[in-house]
Amino acid sequence: MEYNRKQVNIIVNSALEAKMVRLANRVGVSGYSITPMRTGQGSTGLQTSSSEGDSNILFMMIITFDKMEQMIAEIQKIKDRSYPLRVFINDTYVMDEKDFH
Amino acid sequence: MEYNRKQVNIIVNSALEAKMVRLANRVGVSGYSITPMRTGQGSTGLQTSSSEGDSNILFMMIITFDKMEQMIAEIQKIKDRSYPLRVFINDTYVMDEKDFH
Amino acid sequence: MEYNRKQVNIIVNSALEAKMVRLANRVGVSGYSITPMRTGQGSTGLQTSSSEGDSNILFMMIITFDKMEQMIAEIQKIKDRSYPLRVFINDTYVMDEKDFH
Amino acid sequence: MNLSSLLIPAVLFFALGFLAKLIKSDLKFPDGMAKGLSIFLLIGIGIKGGVALSQAEFLPALNSVLAALVLGFATPILAFVWLNKLGKVGIFDSAAIAAHYGSVSAGTFLVAIAFLDSMGQTYESYPLIMLAIMESPAIIIGLLLAIYARSQMAKLNNNSDPESISMKSLLHEALTNGSVVLLLGAMLIAYLVPADNLKSVIPFYKEMFMGVLSLFLLEMGMEAAKKINEFKKAGLVLITFGITMPIVGALIGLVVAHYWLGFSIGGVFLVMVLAASASYIAVPPAMRMAIPEANPSYYLTLTLGLTFPFNVVVGIPLYYHIAQALVG
Amino acid sequence: MNLSSLLIPAVLFFALGFLAKLIKSDLKFPDGMAKGLSIFLLIGIGIKGGVALSQAEFLPALNSVLAALVLGFATPILAFVWLNKLGKVGIFDSAAIAAHYGSVSAGTFLVAIAFLDSMGQTYESYPLIMLAIMESPAIIIGLLLAIYARSQMAKLNNNSDPESISMKSLLHEALTNGSVVLLLGAMLIAYLVPADNLKSVIPFYKEMFMGVLSLFLLEMGMEAAKKINEFKKAGLVLITFGITMPIVGALIGLVVAHYWLGFSIGGVFLVMVLAASASYIAVPPAMRMAIPEANPSYYLTLTLGLTFPFNVVVGIPLYYHIAQALVG
Amino acid sequence: MNLSSLLIPAVLFFALGFLAKLIKSDLKFPDGMAKGLSIFLLIGIGIKGGVALSQAEFLPALNSVLAALVLGFATPILAFVWLNKLGKVGIFDSAAIAAHYGSVSAGTFLVAIAFLDSMGQTYESYPLIMLAIMESPAIIIGLLLAIYARSQMAKLNNNSDPESISMKSLLHEALTNGSVVLLLGAMLIAYLVPADNLKSVIPFYKEMFMGVLSLFLLEMGMEAAKKINEFKKAGLVLITFGITMPIVGALIGLVVAHYWLGFSIGGVFLVMVLAASASYIAVPPAMRMAIPEANPSYYLTLTLGLTFPFNVVVGIPLYYHIAQALVG
Ligand SMILES: Nc1ncnc2c1ncn2[C@@H]1O[C@H](COP(=O)(O)O)[C@@H](O)[C@H]1O
Ligand SMILES: Nc1ncnc2c1ncn2[C@@H]1O[C@H](COP(=O)(O)O)[C@@H](O)[C@H]1O
Ligand SMILES: Nc1ncnc2c1ncn2[C@@H]1O[C@H](COP(=O)(O)O)[C@@H](O)[C@H]1O
Ligand code: NA
Ligand code: NA
Ligand code: NA
């Protein structure tokens, strides 16, 4: 358990999924995972997955600290254009250094 | 990454989803997210999502330490009435202080 | 929040789900949870859930440190046989000591 | 009764699903498919029931409803006494399991219909109405038993303040259950809508019905097989109960349908199946909510893993044989 | 207009879903079911439209397309002025909401068709083509309004560099929208494919259509009811708008369909419904992307929680009554 | 061969899906929808096959099965030699890819059937049986090649102990594959069930078949387009293989179907399509499990992103043209 990584989690409406993928490619992360969410409640109201505009995804990347810093800078730009990305970051250990970067 | 929050995760049968929502509203958290799970194994046997009574959800809230303490107290009351909530809590950092509280 | 546990997360193709379940039973963990993922990008390309061979799951176990060490040893054996398991581990606190072990 | 009567798609697809999991096939249904199929089936059966109701005569319909209520209230009490008093099963588990066996399984009922259809055997339409009625009473009985159990427990622990549950929330639990709402709702809709307007949805709900049922049973076969590993935890008392209770239920159903309702072979058989079957879709979430003290793996293992396959493969031809012998 | 005209399965299933959530039933549709059903419906309606198109005469078809474009561009501008200038609603929210009301709701349109069918009332097929056309213009108007809004904001903040959006990406957003692609794509396919080849998919898309619609409306009834709690946040101006805008829209549709297009009662009624309805599937994701500054809970609450139920239950019989009075 | 023969809904929906992703539409199918549709299609095709089997004559049926086995065992070996010996592709990747090309794609086969139907061209029903047979042999060959590869590797590394795999688990992997179980299971059911009993599920599996296929191909068109970005990683050898191997396969199929089985144009064409097609549903999970050393992005990109679209758009009319020239 020596390999520290940052687990960057973004909760965002599924309409912005392609935007997130482009972001990940721009920053050049080694991978990402997308999980659909059934229901979400927040400042923009209840989202219940009845249609694409009403659905959240969890966009998750496990990356190095450096990549995380780049990522945060890019996310900030998107947030500045009023896109409501909800971002939280967990410390994580990875079994294989080369799996996630 | 100065903004510390608690990521409170509750694994619970989907039959109790409405109960969890009421709980979150009672405590007054700023939001929550619900993810369906496909399969779960635990002390109450295998749950494989074949029907509502056979399905788990992950009910997740990112909240302040204070809210977490209130939440835990409320959850304890529900657990005392024998509802099998499986609760685990992660430390997390949020990009925007006002996003999660 | 005194009860420390390890949250062991494995991202793996759904074709290997049964293998993971057997692993968990062999090590003797108290439970596990499986969440389907919609999309994944990594070294083996894009996975978009169009079929079983094209789908990822998140296989998650919350266990003690000792169990985690056993688990990692077993996972390593599987990885040595070239199965691409992506493993990351988070620290977590559990509300009830007896819920997760 | 010859074996070829079991050669109906519904039963064979169930067997295929069961077998698939026994040979450890990696066959999987996508998440939510079983739930989607069961929503379709409940609506389809509700519509059938509503059409039946709109064509029914008042007195026999009323009689059927009464009989359904009697069955729905009596069988779970019998099951509870059996489990708790005779079988020494814990009081909460007994209450929860009893609620499942007092309620009905639409899946089992539909196989029974397919079985009759495959033999060209006619039947009264009243059992369709009874199905919709019989979902709820057992849930109410389950809740009442849990209240009783909690007060017993409180007495035992000298604890004076058992969590009380109001009559209102009790009825709410029983009548707002998702399956009940779909079944009764679709029934009411089919009852209200003029026949001409109903035509537009008939191709969907009627002609596709048996095909959707085959898919549903394929999935349920897999689910039943998955529960088999959990049997060891259940113990002998429960396993015996899971096989003998349906038979006893069927016999009670026989008496009610033959002596009270005076149904023909087909109708008697369907009421037997209703009484013999145990819920594995509608009641589990209700019990999760209402009797958290009970262990869900017991009731799901028993109803889905044992009683459902037993009824589909052994029970249905057996009950038909009995109905024929008595009524025919 | 008598009440029994509302006794069509589509409306009653909507009511059932709505009621289920009002009585707090635990009825749930599996994740993705609503999306799957709406994909089916859009393709089905596209095919209907394509068949209509292949049988249409050129001039009236062209006229309908023009009328659809006029309605699609004019009504969102009206809505925007109403909201922002009269109602003092924020400029971005006004733009986003306007786009929803300028676009159309296929669900509402389908209920209207079921309504006509149940009464044996015939109608022109041109409104089917208009439906496909009317999805996009309002999205474009919404984006243009947002650009305008941003430049207004920039002026206000003495900020000289508003994020500019190219004409190309604007059209892209409007024409690659998933619902638009399905609707126009299926229409084109049905138009191109020789009638004989199309036959193979007809049982699926035509005969099952109303049944699938009933399931979809059941789910949408539940979704509409879930949005009700959010009303308090919306405020009186928006709530009033959500009920009066459809009526105004219907009247504009009436003028266009009657005086310009010269449709019969059925056709006039359908155009009224198109103009009265507001999108809750196609436009929300487009606005999430294009006007992130607007609050999504406003437009989803209004269109799905208020205007959709209003149109289905009150609007449709009302518009028909008006169409009959004027045209009949 | 004129272009209008491609104007069948199946092909056009595939093209629509492909196009939708090329123009970066946000069109999305809900999770699990593609899987659900493919379950339906496999059962539907299995039922067709079972009905065909129950009406087949013994000798030609046996002959077809033998021919299917020969094709299923021979073509993956050819593909392996081609890739590994000629193309210098890594030994594990070669083995895994070979298994995909030795197996078949039900989706491609169904488009071929729709193609024949649209032209009113008849065909033998034996290819339906061959389809069910041809899923498994290539999986077995793939596993055997992997065992061989591992022992080669062990020799290379002077490693004496390659992980051995038993004959039993090898057969298990090939025969419990989800797609194989569905196809063979449904076939067996349709074979066993008396025609009268089967009638109840026919509206579902037969009349809806082409409609469901259109939805499935729409989704697969989107999936194929998504894989296009991955081509650069595949390299020229693999891309060339992905287009020429189907043609070579089709020619082998031609020889087998014409000279050995003596089929008519329709039958020859279908066998060509079987041999030309590559699996993208049944085999990938089997290879994930059995040859973890291979890179899944190669085989999914090739089969789904290249060979499938090639066969649907170019191959099918081409093979038909060849079959006509030779047999007609
Ligand atoms: N405090 C929270 N905890 C967990 N999830 C949240 C929280 N706040 C917001 N979310 C998620 O983020 C989504 C968007 O939030 P919002 O933009 O505030 O409406 C919500 O629909 C939830 O899924
Ligand atoms: N040790 C564990 N790790 C991860 N998930 C667990 C664990 N134990 C239980 N769960 C999840 O919690 C659900 C309920 O657990 P239980 O109430 O013990 O049956 C299970 O179905 C699993 O989804
Ligand atoms: N850096 C990463 N962050 C998050 N998920 C990842 C990452 N890398 C890989 N994954 C996930 O793991 C799966 C398998 O990765 P791979 O074996 O590298 O193709 C991918 O499809 C993703 O779902
Ligand atoms: Na019963
Ligand atoms: Na409108
Ligand atoms: Na092949």
Side-chain angles (χ1 to χ4, degrees):
Chain A
M1 306 241 308
E2 300 146 82
Y3 309 118
N4 286 301
R5 287 290 182 279
K6 296 295 176 183
Q7 179 181 354
V8 178
N9 308 280
I10 310 175
I11 303 181
V12 65
N13 188 274
S14 77
L16 302 179
E17 188 175 317
K19 207 179 194 62
M20 293 298 106
V21 170
R22 282 196 302 272
L23 172 63
N25 291 337
R26 199 157 61 233
V27 173
V29 304
S30 69
Y32 57 78
S33 296
I34 301 177
T35 313
M37 286 174 151
R38 182 197 284 172
T39 315
Q41 173 73 54
S43 53
T44 62
L46 189 65
Q47 298 191 42
T48 57
S49 305
S50 65
S51 61
E52 287 305 330
D54 195 38
S55 304
N56 288 328
I57 57 169
L58 179 66
F59 190 93
M60 189 270 280
M61 293 160 290
I62 294 173
I63 47 184
T64 59
F65 185 86
D66 288 357
K67 279 272 156 65
M68 178 199 71
E69 293 206 313
Q70 281 176 262
M71 186 57 70
I72 286 186
E74 291 291 325
I75 292 174
Q76 192 56 55
K77 286 188 210 157
I78 300 182
K79 281 175 79 92
D80 288 345
R81 287 165 56 207
S82 303
Y83 287 102
L85 311 187
R86 300 279 168 261
V87 184
F88 59 102
I89 295 160
N90 294 347
D91 288 316
T92 195
Y93 305 90
V94 301
M95 246 186 90
D96 241 328
E97 203 174 6
K98 63 179 192 324
D99 279 354
F100 303 100
H101 48 92
Chain B
M1 305 240 308
E2 300 147 82
Y3 308 117
N4 286 301
R5 286 291 183 277
K6 296 294 176 182
Q7 178 181 357
V8 178
N9 308 280
I10 309 175
I11 303 180
V12 65
N13 187 273
S14 76
L16 302 179
E17 187 174 318
K19 207 178 194 64
M20 293 298 106
V21 170
R22 283 195 302 272
L23 173 63
N25 291 336
R26 200 159 58 233
V27 173
V29 304
S30 69
Y32 55 81
S33 297
I34 300 177
T35 314
M37 286 174 151
R38 182 198 283 174
T39 315
Q41 173 72 56
S43 53
T44 63
L46 188 68
Q47 298 191 44
T48 58
S49 305
S50 65
S51 61
E52 287 306 329
D54 194 38
S55 304
N56 288 328
I57 57 169
L58 178 66
F59 191 94
M60 189 271 279
M61 293 160 291
I62 293 173
I63 47 184
T64 60
F65 185 86
D66 288 357
K67 277 273 156 66
M68 178 200 71
E69 293 207 313
Q70 280 175 263
M71 186 58 70
I72 286 185
E74 291 292 323
I75 292 174
Q76 192 57 54
K77 285 187 209 157
I78 300 182
K79 281 176 80 92
D80 288 345
R81 287 165 56 205
S82 302
Y83 287 102
L85 312 186
R86 301 279 168 258
V87 184
F88 59 102
I89 295 160
N90 294 347
D91 287 317
T92 195
Y93 305 89
V94 301
M95 245 184 90
D96 240 329
E97 203 173 10
K98 64 180 192 324
D99 278 353
F100 303 101
H101 49 92
Chain C
M1 306 241 308
E2 300 147 82
Y3 310 117
N4 286 302
R5 287 290 183 277
K6 296 294 176 183
Q7 179 181 355
V8 178
N9 307 282
I10 310 175
I11 303 181
V12 65
N13 187 273
S14 78
L16 303 179
E17 186 174 319
K19 206 179 194 63
M20 293 297 106
V21 170
R22 284 196 301 273
L23 172 64
N25 291 337
R26 200 158 60 233
V27 173
V29 304
S30 69
Y32 57 80
S33 297
I34 300 177
T35 313
M37 286 174 152
R38 182 196 285 173
T39 314
Q41 172 73 55
S43 53
T44 63
L46 189 67
Q47 298 191 43
T48 57
S49 306
S50 65
S51 61
E52 287 304 331
D54 194 39
S55 304
N56 289 327
I57 57 169
L58 178 67
F59 191 94
M60 190 271 279
M61 293 160 291
I62 294 172
I63 48 184
T64 60
F65 185 86
D66 289 357
K67 279 272 157 65
M68 178 201 71
E69 293 207 313
Q70 281 176 260
M71 186 58 71
I72 285 185
E74 291 291 324
I75 291 174
Q76 192 56 55
K77 286 187 210 159
I78 299 182
K79 280 177 80 91
D80 288 345
R81 287 166 56 205
S82 303
Y83 287 102
L85 311 186
R86 301 279 168 261
V87 184
F88 59 101
I89 296 160
N90 294 347
D91 287 317
T92 195
Y93 306 89
V94 301
M95 245 186 91
D96 241 330
E97 203 174 10
K98 64 180 192 323
D99 278 354
F100 303 100
H101 49 92
Chain D
M1 178 185 60
N2 65 43
L3 203 94
S4 89
S5 62
L6 277 176
L7 289 181
I8 51 178
V11 174
L12 292 174
F13 275 102
F14 182 82
L16 178 61
F18 203 90
L19 196 79
K21 284 296 138 187
L22 282 195
I23 62 171
K24 295 191 192 310
S25 165
D26 63 350
L27 180 61
K28 243 178 250 155
F29 269 43
D31 307 304
M33 184 147 165
K35 290 174 197 166
L37 296 171
S38 76
I39 287 173
F40 173 94
L41 292 174
L42 286 170
I43 294 177
I45 211 174
I47 288 181
K48 265 200 224 298
V51 171
L53 195 63
S54 71
Q55 296 162 350
E57 288 167 53
F58 182 71
L59 262 188
L62 186 72
N63 242 333
S64 306
V65 169
L66 284 179
L69 289 173
V70 168
L71 283 172
F73 283 115
T75 54
I77 293 175
L78 169 70
F80 177 78
V81 174
W82 179 336
L83 287 166
N84 184 241
K85 303 300 173 194
L86 303 181
K88 306 293 170 211
V89 175
I91 193 160
F92 289 112
D93 284 326
S94 296
I97 297 174
H100 286 77
Y101 280 83
S103 186
V104 291
S105 148
T108 314
F109 184 74
L110 291 171
V111 176
I113 298 241
F115 180 82
L116 290 181
D117 286 347
S118 81
M119 295 183 307
Q121 168 78 60
T122 60
Y123 47 90
E124 286 85 0
S125 61
Y126 299 107
L128 277 162
I129 304 166
M130 296 173 73
L131 168 69
I133 304 292
M134 282 176 76
E135 297 265 358
S136 304
I139 297 178
I140 297 178
I141 295 294
L143 300 195
L144 289 174
L145 287 171
I147 294 171
Y148 163 73
R150 268 175 219 123
S151 73
Q152 290 297 94
M153 281 303 197
K155 241 185 260 165
L156 224 76
N157 307 333
N158 248 333
N159 189 332
S160 60
D161 189 26
E163 187 85 29
S164 74
I165 187 167
S166 72
M167 202 60 206
K168 208 184 119 205
S169 78
L170 197 151
L171 277 173
H172 186 264
E173 207 63 51
L175 294 175
T176 62
N177 182 288
S179 304
V180 172
V181 165
L182 277 184
L183 208 48
L184 290 181
M187 201 162 175
L188 190 68
I189 289 175
Y191 180 78
L192 290 177
V193 169
D196 261 9
N197 289 2
L198 204 60
K199 256 187 221 156
S200 64
V201 300
I202 291 297
F204 185 62
Y205 287 113
K206 194 165 172 186
E207 283 157 42
M208 283 175 43
F209 197 84
M210 284 297 159
V212 173
L213 181 64
S214 67
L215 272 185
F216 178 74
L217 286 174
L218 178 58
E219 163 85 350
M220 284 299 124
M222 293 196 274
E223 294 298 329
K226 280 184 204 161
K227 303 284 174 198
I228 278 189
N229 289 330
E230 320 250 315
F231 273 175
K232 45 191 171 220
K233 288 182 217 152
L236 201 66
V237 170
L238 288 186
I239 292 178
T240 313
F241 175 83
I243 289 182
T244 44
M245 181 67 203
I247 300 178
V248 172
L251 295 178
I252 298 176
L254 176 79
V255 171
V256 166
H258 182 53
Y259 295 104
W260 176 357
L261 302 174
F263 284 169
S264 69
I265 296 181
V268 167
F269 165 70
L270 287 178
V271 176
M272 289 175 79
V273 170
L274 282 178
S277 72
S279 166
Y280 52 85
I281 289 187
V283 178
M287 290 302 115
R288 291 250 180 203
M289 193 68 202
I291 318 187
E293 300 92 340
N295 187 339
S297 83
Y298 289 158
Y299 45 78
L300 269 173
T301 302
L302 275 191
T303 54
L304 183 51
L306 187 57
T307 300
F308 181 45
F310 172 78
N311 273 332
V312 165
V313 178
V314 179
I316 283 182
L318 178 68
Y319 309 149
Y320 185 70
H321 197 60
I322 298 175
Q324 239 178 350
L326 190 80
V327 186
Chain E
M1 180 185 61
N2 67 42
L3 202 94
S4 90
S5 61
L6 277 177
L7 289 181
I8 51 177
V11 175
L12 291 174
F13 275 102
F14 182 82
L16 178 61
F18 203 91
L19 196 78
K21 284 296 139 187
L22 283 195
I23 63 171
K24 295 191 194 309
S25 165
D26 63 351
L27 179 60
K28 245 178 249 157
F29 269 44
D31 307 305
M33 186 148 165
K35 290 174 197 165
L37 296 172
S38 76
I39 287 173
F40 174 94
L41 293 174
L42 286 171
I43 294 178
I45 210 173
I47 288 181
K48 265 200 223 297
V51 171
L53 195 63
S54 69
Q55 297 162 350
E57 289 166 53
F58 182 71
L59 262 187
L62 186 73
N63 240 334
S64 305
V65 170
L66 284 180
L69 289 173
V70 167
L71 283 172
F73 283 114
T75 53
I77 293 175
L78 168 70
F80 177 78
V81 173
W82 179 335
L83 287 166
N84 184 240
K85 305 299 172 196
L86 303 181
K88 306 292 170 210
V89 175
I91 193 161
F92 290 111
D93 284 327
S94 295
I97 297 174
H100 286 77
Y101 280 83
S103 185
V104 290
S105 149
T108 313
F109 183 74
L110 292 170
V111 175
I113 297 241
F115 179 83
L116 290 181
D117 285 345
S118 82
M119 294 183 306
Q121 168 78 58
T122 59
Y123 47 90
E124 287 86 0
S125 61
Y126 299 107
L128 277 162
I129 304 166
M130 296 174 74
L131 167 69
I133 303 293
M134 282 176 76
E135 296 265 358
S136 304
I139 298 179
I140 297 178
I141 295 293
L143 300 195
L144 289 174
L145 288 171
I147 293 172
Y148 162 75
R150 268 176 220 121
S151 72
Q152 290 296 94
M153 282 303 195
K155 239 184 265 167
L156 223 74
N157 307 333
N158 247 334
N159 189 331
S160 60
D161 188 26
E163 187 85 31
S164 73
I165 189 166
S166 71
M167 202 60 206
K168 207 185 120 203
S169 79
L170 197 150
L171 276 173
H172 186 264
E173 206 61 53
L175 293 175
T176 63
N177 182 289
S179 304
V180 172
V181 166
L182 277 184
L183 207 48
L184 290 181
M187 201 160 173
L188 190 68
I189 289 175
Y191 180 77
L192 290 177
V193 169
D196 260 9
N197 288 2
L198 204 62
K199 257 187 220 155
S200 64
V201 300
I202 291 297
F204 185 63
Y205 288 112
K206 192 162 172 189
E207 282 157 42
M208 284 175 44
F209 197 84
M210 284 296 160
V212 174
L213 181 64
S214 68
L215 273 185
F216 178 74
L217 287 174
L218 178 57
E219 164 84 349
M220 284 300 123
M222 293 196 274
E223 294 298 329
K226 279 183 204 162
K227 302 285 174 200
I228 279 189
N229 289 330
E230 319 250 316
F231 272 175
K232 46 191 168 218
K233 287 182 220 153
L236 202 65
V237 170
L238 288 186
I239 293 179
T240 313
F241 175 82
I243 289 183
T244 44
M245 179 66 203
I247 300 178
V248 172
L251 295 178
I252 297 176
L254 175 79
V255 171
V256 168
H258 182 53
Y259 295 104
W260 175 358
L261 301 174
F263 285 170
S264 70
I265 296 183
V268 166
F269 165 70
L270 288 179
V271 176
M272 289 175 80
V273 170
L274 282 178
S277 72
S279 167
Y280 52 85
I281 288 187
V283 179
M287 290 302 115
R288 291 251 181 204
M289 193 67 202
I291 317 186
E293 300 92 339
N295 188 340
S297 83
Y298 289 157
Y299 44 79
L300 270 173
T301 302
L302 275 191
T303 55
L304 183 50
L306 186 56
T307 301
F308 181 45
F310 172 78
N311 273 331
V312 165
V313 178
V314 179
I316 284 183
L318 177 68
Y319 309 150
Y320 185 70
H321 197 60
I322 297 175
Q324 239 179 350
L326 189 79
V327 187
Chain F
M1 180 184 62
N2 66 42
L3 203 95
S4 90
S5 62
L6 276 176
L7 290 181
I8 52 176
V11 174
L12 292 174
F13 274 102
F14 182 82
L16 178 61
F18 203 90
L19 196 79
K21 283 298 137 185
L22 282 195
I23 61 171
K24 296 193 192 309
S25 164
D26 64 350
L27 180 60
K28 243 180 249 155
F29 269 43
D31 307 304
M33 186 149 164
K35 290 174 197 167
L37 296 172
S38 75
I39 287 174
F40 174 94
L41 292 175
L42 287 170
I43 294 179
I45 209 173
I47 288 181
K48 265 201 222 300
V51 171
L53 194 63
S54 70
Q55 296 163 350
E57 289 167 53
F58 182 71
L59 262 186
L62 186 72
N63 242 335
S64 306
V65 169
L66 283 180
L69 289 172
V70 167
L71 284 172
F73 282 113
T75 52
I77 293 176
L78 169 69
F80 178 77
V81 173
W82 178 338
L83 288 166
N84 184 240
K85 303 300 173 197
L86 303 182
K88 305 293 171 208
V89 175
I91 192 160
F92 289 112
D93 285 327
S94 295
I97 297 173
H100 286 77
Y101 281 83
S103 186
V104 291
S105 149
T108 314
F109 184 74
L110 292 170
V111 176
I113 298 240
F115 180 82
L116 291 181
D117 286 348
S118 81
M119 295 184 305
Q121 168 78 57
T122 61
Y123 47 91
E124 286 86 0
S125 61
Y126 298 107
L128 277 161
I129 303 167
M130 295 174 74
L131 167 70
I133 303 292
M134 281 177 76
E135 296 264 0
S136 304
I139 298 179
I140 297 179
I141 295 293
L143 300 195
L144 288 174
L145 287 171
I147 293 172
Y148 162 75
R150 267 175 221 122
S151 70
Q152 289 297 94
M153 282 305 197
K155 240 185 262 165
L156 225 76
N157 308 333
N158 248 334
N159 189 330
S160 60
D161 189 24
E163 187 82 32
S164 74
I165 187 166
S166 73
M167 201 61 207
K168 210 185 117 202
S169 80
L170 197 151
L171 276 173
H172 186 263
E173 205 62 50
L175 294 175
T176 63
N177 183 288
S179 303
V180 172
V181 165
L182 277 184
L183 207 48
L184 290 181
M187 200 163 175
L188 190 68
I189 289 175
Y191 180 76
L192 290 176
V193 168
D196 261 10
N197 288 2
L198 204 61
K199 257 187 221 154
S200 63
V201 300
I202 290 297
F204 185 62
Y205 288 112
K206 194 163 169 188
E207 282 156 43
M208 284 174 44
F209 197 83
M210 284 298 161
V212 173
L213 181 65
S214 68
L215 272 186
F216 178 74
L217 287 174
L218 178 57
E219 164 83 351
M220 284 300 122
M222 293 196 273
E223 293 298 329
K226 280 184 204 161
K227 302 286 174 197
I228 278 188
N229 289 331
E230 319 250 315
F231 272 176
K232 46 191 169 217
K233 287 183 219 152
L236 201 67
V237 171
L238 288 186
I239 292 179
T240 313
F241 176 83
I243 289 184
T244 46
M245 180 68 203
I247 300 179
V248 172
L251 296 179
I252 298 177
L254 175 79
V255 171
V256 166
H258 182 52
Y259 295 104
W260 175 357
L261 300 173
F263 284 170
S264 70
I265 296 182
V268 166
F269 165 70
L270 288 178
V271 176
M272 289 175 79
V273 170
L274 282 178
S277 73
S279 166
Y280 52 85
I281 289 187
V283 179
M287 290 301 115
R288 290 249 181 206
M289 193 68 202
I291 318 187
E293 300 92 340
N295 187 341
S297 84
Y298 290 158
Y299 45 80
L300 270 173
T301 302
L302 276 192
T303 54
L304 183 51
L306 186 57
T307 301
F308 182 45
F310 172 78
N311 273 331
V312 164
V313 178
V314 179
I316 283 183
L318 177 68
Y319 309 150
Y320 185 70
H321 197 59
I322 298 176
Q324 238 178 349
L326 190 79
V327 186

